[in-house]
Amino acid sequence: MSTLTATAEEPRTTSVRPAYRVTGRRVLASEWAKLWSLRSTWITLGLGLLFLVAFGLIAASRYKSEIGTGHMDRDFAASTAVSLSLFGTNFAQLALGVLGVLVTAGEYSTGMIRSTLAAVPRRLPVLWSKAAVFGLVALAVGTVGAFVAFLFGSGIVSGTPAAMGLSHAGVLRSLLGAGLYLGLVGVIGVALGALLRSVAGGISVLVAALMLVPGLISLLPSSWQDDISPYLPSNAGESVFALTHDATALSPGAGLLVLVCWTALALGGAAYRLARTDV
């Protein structure tokens, strides 16, 4: 009897698990690891950088070959080293925007979003972390690509009327503006992926907003175009990195403000749906 009592009173040993806290830094680190663990990240970022540099060099080479021949288009003849080098921005924005959509919508299509939100129950820090991580990556890729394209492109058009250097007024602002524009496009892609929760839907809306809608606006009467066109995301972004502006375009500061408002609107819609609906 005494033996049974002694055995019953022996203390039980329990395994002690380390206590982990969900912090902003850890959520950022998690999203950083997930971003770079995907092969599509490396491929798409490489394509974005390639588009930005390659098309800029192609435009500069074409300008160099046609200068003085008398067969050059009047608008193309007025190009500068900056506008030629940044010719690939419209192509790079698609690659970075599509990857932004995949960053969020891809988790919904695979079901991984359930594990992500189980680890971060408050939900919204996941969206902010995804947007911050990919936005900074897109900003870095866009800025590096813009400077590389300009350094090589300015060398190609050296000795022509388009020749410019980094010391020329507005050049640094244009190159940094191109990187900032591509970074914000990446954030818009992240927001659309979270808002629509569909890779196909997010990419479709992104392409429509950046390319199709500006083309449709051009069919409207000219008075309407002047009132609407400058405030579209792509046109506002172009005014951020354009070296010169006509009377209908926004100033760089106003264009950046409009683009930030579009980005905030997309993120706000994504945050509302993430907080209010199930995954």
Side-chain angles (χ1 to χ4, degrees), residues 14-18:
T14 58
S15 60
V16 179
R17 293 183 178 181

Side-chain angles (χ1 to χ4, degrees), residues 204-236:
S204 299
V205 172
L206 179 75
V207 173
L210 296 179
M211 302 189 72
L212 297 183
V213 173
L216 294 176
I217 294 297
S218 65
L219 302 177
L220 297 175
S222 57
S223 59
W224 291 17
Q225 293 182 36
D226 295 341
D227 293 335
I228 299 175
S229 182
Y231 299 96
L232 298 177
S234 57
N235 293 339

Side-chain angles (χ1 to χ4, degrees), residues 38 40 44 97-108 189-190 193 199 203:
L38 299 175
S40 60
T44 312
V98 166
L99 183 56
V101 173
L102 291 174
V103 166
T104 47
E107 287 201 27
Y108 284 95
V190 171
V199 174
I203 293 175

